[in-house]
Amino acid sequence: MVDLRSIAKRYQMGEHTVHALHPLNLQFHSGQFVAIVGPSGSGKSTLLNLLGLLDQASAGEYWLDGQNVANLPDREISAIRCLKIGFIFQSFNLFPSMSVLENVCVPMHYAEKPKDLMRERAMEVLDRLGLKDRIDHKPTELSGGQRQRVAIARALANDPPVLLADEPTGNLDENTGEEVMEIFRELRSEGRSVIMVTHNPEYEDQVDRVISIHDGNIIRS
Amino acid sequence: MVDLRSIAKRYQMGEHTVHALHPLNLQFHSGQFVAIVGPSGSGKSTLLNLLGLLDQASAGEYWLDGQNVANLPDREISAIRCLKIGFIFQSFNLFPSMSVLENVCVPMHYAEKPKDLMRERAMEVLDRLGLKDRIDHKPTELSGGQRQRVAIARALANDPPVLLADEPTGNLDENTGEEVMEIFRELRSEGRSVIMVTHNPEYEDQVDRVISIHDGNIIRS
Ligand SMILES: Nc1ncnc2c1ncn2[C@@H]1O[C@H](COP(=O)(O)OP(=O)(O)OP(=O)(O)O)[C@@H](O)[C@H]1O
Ligand SMILES: Nc1ncnc2c1ncn2[C@@H]1O[C@H](COP(=O)(O)OP(=O)(O)OP(=O)(O)O)[C@@H](O)[C@H]1O
Ligand SMILES: [Mg+2]
Ligand SMILES: [Mg+2]
């Protein structure tokens, strides 16, 4: 399904090069629950952003379902990103001028879902995440963990076949975090792919596969 | 040292009132390492912001070293906030156009520290937190956990007698998080106060006192 071939990511800082990811090979098959772990700064978010088509590699090739992503037209990349992939950002990236409900509806607008179904789906995921009393709040009127849960709800809204989650429980207490893991396990049992960056070592036993990153290199996959 | 008397915080949302904190009484003495725990949305950041003079209560009184904070002139509140309190925000709040080094120097500018001492102190805390190779990066050129560590370094820069930390390890792996806890324990052993909001139940055994919040009420202190 996903085949990264000699994928690398570098940043030029004047004279100095930061190797966020050294050339690596990695394959993913659908329907797996994968954890990506590693120290702070090791390249986890960089890898997830590349997988989610939010960033471009400095070198190497990204083959998705037998096609080289570099050869796809922008319009198609956009469609894959908005319809096939749900992305939960490490820093949430909510739209500050929109309410919680509007934020969750954004991907469904792109998918051109009918208005009533859109609202029903948004309420369903928000209720599941304990946020039904906060639907009219703006992001600045929420706690840190509530913002994280809105980011999660928004990523789930379109029922994507692939969910990419960057530290989705970092701001959540144990019980709320467990509820999120329960949602991820259900997606996995429906045959969807969940790829989750996490610092919580407890989650490593609950997934199908653990990919370990260190200083931009994969040390276990 | 700190005496909160019937302190409450409310938000009016049209017809509806959100009680972020119901009236509560709380006292803190110096030199303690205190953990504030509770579910997402329960009022922890709200309490910490009130303690750190970053926000004003809707009701009740905040007595600091025998003085009612409401009667202090703005200039003095500002001085207490910048010189006596180190604050680590849940969402970091770094200055986006400044480098890591410049961000850490900001509180020391306020304290009018000499330039060479300022740089030396900034390098010392950044090195301790594993960031000496990132001092010229802007916040957007850092990982999530690196930004969190810059926020920690900035709060430590002026050697404040009181450190208020809002989930300071939420984006850090276990080892890096442990290094941060080690710094906090050292502050505690120097007689400074550390008040830390945390979701990590492992830290509860490592502190002097645990304050537990639920739906805006203190249920254990
Ligand atoms: N500006 C605001 N307007 C309305 N409600 C608000 C506002 N700011 C916070 N709240 C509400 O106050 C409650 C407490 O928020 P607070 O940020 O203190 O929670 P918290 O315990 O820090 O949660 P978390 O663990 O998720 O960070 C939350 O339910 C939140 O929705
Ligand atoms: N725009 C950029 N310019 C320069 N270096 C960058 C840039 N973005 C990221 N980096 C560096 O790339 C490395 C990998 O970053 P990444 O965000 O992938 O780490 P991470 O594993 O997600 O860390 P964390 O667990 O702290 O979130 C880091 O050392 C970071 O400083
Ligand atoms: Mg990251
Ligand atoms: Mg909070």
Side-chain angles (χ1 to χ4, degrees):
Chain A
M1 186 189 67
V2 168
D3 188 2
L4 303 181
R5 304 178 186 176
S6 291
I7 283 282
K9 183 72 186 180
R10 299 183 275 275
Y11 297 100
Q12 204 55 40
M13 314 287 289
E15 296 264 330
H16 174 62
T17 307
V18 173
H19 295 271
L21 290 176
H22 294 283
L24 59 88
N25 299 310
L26 200 52
Q27 285 151 19
F28 292 92
H29 304 288
S30 53
Q32 282 195 319
F33 192 171
V34 183
I36 298 177
V37 302
S40 172
S42 56
K44 306 179 298 295
S45 297
T46 303
L47 178 59
L48 213 69
N49 288 340
L50 288 173
L51 285 172
L53 299 171
L54 292 164
D55 194 11
Q56 287 192 330
S58 312
E61 296 178 344
Y62 180 168
W63 289 72
L64 183 58
D65 292 334
Q67 279 184 306
N68 186 340
V69 152
N71 300 334
L72 294 176
D74 277 352
R75 206 187 59 255
E76 194 165 336
I77 295 202
S78 210
I80 295 172
R81 214 169 47 215
C82 299
L83 300 175
K84 297 255 170 83
I85 299 172
F87 203 105
I88 302 166
F89 294 88
Q90 187 170 8
S91 50
F92 321 150
N93 294 0
L94 302 181
F95 298 107
S97 55
M98 293 186 194
S99 71
V100 163
L101 191 66
E102 289 162 344
N103 261 284
V104 175
C105 286
V106 166
M108 294 190 277
H109 276 291
Y110 190 92
E112 295 174 356
K113 213 166 197 150
K115 218 169 155 118
D116 53 345
L117 283 183
M118 199 189 288
R119 186 183 167 95
E120 183 185 315
R121 173 61 178 161
M123 290 305 299
E124 174 191 12
V125 293
L126 286 167
D127 191 16
R128 178 91 194 260
L129 288 160
L131 293 173
K132 77 174 191 305
D133 297 335
R134 292 287 180 270
I135 61 173
D136 297 322
H137 285 229
K138 297 247 177 359
T140 46
E141 298 168 331
L142 297 174
S143 78
Q146 290 167 344
R147 286 174 204 159
Q148 187 154 42
R149 285 180 271 159
V150 176
I152 295 169
R154 182 179 60 182
L156 297 173
N158 269 340
D159 278 304
V162 178
L163 185 74
L164 302 180
D166 201 343
E167 303 196 27
T169 61
N171 279 280
L172 302 177
D173 55 275
E174 273 199 314
N175 291 340
T176 316
E178 184 46 40
E179 183 57 36
V180 170
M181 286 297 284
E182 179 61 22
I183 293 173
F184 292 178
R185 283 190 291 265
E186 281 171 24
L187 295 176
R188 156 76 176 77
S189 67
E190 290 167 13
R192 301 171 195 278
S193 305
V194 179
I195 303 175
M196 171 180 79
V197 170
T198 181
H199 281 135
N200 192 336
E202 286 189 24
Y203 293 157
E204 290 189 38
D205 320 323
Q206 303 184 29
V207 299
D208 301 317
R209 175 185 178 194
V210 177
I211 295 170
S212 196
I213 299 189
H214 203 277
D215 279 347
N217 290 306
I218 296 193
I219 59 172
R220 160 192 177 200
S221 74
Chain B
M1 184 189 67
V2 168
D3 187 2
L4 303 181
R5 304 178 188 175
S6 294
I7 283 283
K9 183 74 186 179
R10 300 183 277 274
Y11 296 101
Q12 204 56 41
M13 313 286 291
E15 296 264 330
H16 175 62
T17 307
V18 173
H19 295 272
L21 290 176
H22 293 283
L24 59 88
N25 299 309
L26 200 52
Q27 284 148 20
F28 292 91
H29 303 288
S30 52
Q32 283 195 318
F33 191 171
V34 183
I36 298 178
V37 303
S40 171
S42 56
K44 305 179 296 296
S45 295
T46 303
L47 177 59
L48 212 70
N49 289 340
L50 288 174
L51 285 171
L53 300 170
L54 293 163
D55 193 11
Q56 286 193 332
S58 311
E61 294 177 346
Y62 180 169
W63 289 72
L64 183 58
D65 292 334
Q67 281 185 302
N68 186 340
V69 151
N71 299 335
L72 294 175
D74 278 350
R75 207 185 59 256
E76 196 166 336
I77 294 202
S78 210
I80 295 171
R81 214 170 45 217
C82 299
L83 301 174
K84 298 257 169 86
I85 299 171
F87 204 106
I88 302 166
F89 294 87
Q90 186 169 7
S91 52
F92 321 153
N93 296 1
L94 301 181
F95 297 108
S97 56
M98 293 186 193
S99 71
V100 164
L101 191 65
E102 289 163 344
N103 262 284
V104 175
C105 286
V106 167
M108 294 190 279
H109 276 291
Y110 190 91
E112 295 173 357
K113 215 168 195 151
K115 217 167 156 124
D116 54 345
L117 282 184
M118 200 188 289
R119 186 182 167 96
E120 183 184 314
R121 173 61 178 161
M123 290 304 299
E124 175 191 11
V125 293
L126 286 167
D127 191 15
R128 178 92 193 260
L129 288 160
L131 293 172
K132 76 174 193 306
D133 299 334
R134 292 288 180 269
I135 61 172
D136 297 322
H137 285 230
K138 296 249 179 356
T140 47
E141 298 167 332
L142 297 174
S143 77
Q146 289 167 343
R147 284 174 205 161
Q148 186 154 43
R149 284 180 271 160
V150 177
I152 294 168
R154 182 179 60 181
L156 298 173
N158 269 339
D159 279 305
V162 178
L163 185 73
L164 302 181
D166 201 342
E167 301 195 30
T169 63
N171 278 281
L172 302 177
D173 54 275
E174 272 198 313
N175 291 340
T176 316
E178 184 46 40
E179 182 57 36
V180 170
M181 285 297 283
E182 180 60 23
I183 293 172
F184 292 178
R185 283 191 290 267
E186 279 171 27
L187 295 176
R188 157 74 176 78
S189 66
E190 289 167 14
R192 299 172 198 278
S193 305
V194 179
I195 303 175
M196 170 180 79
V197 170
T198 182
H199 280 136
N200 192 336
E202 286 189 22
Y203 294 157
E204 291 188 40
D205 319 323
Q206 302 183 27
V207 300
D208 301 317
R209 174 185 179 195
V210 177
I211 295 171
S212 195
I213 299 190
H214 203 277
D215 277 347
N217 290 307
I218 295 190
I219 56 174
R220 160 191 177 199
S221 74

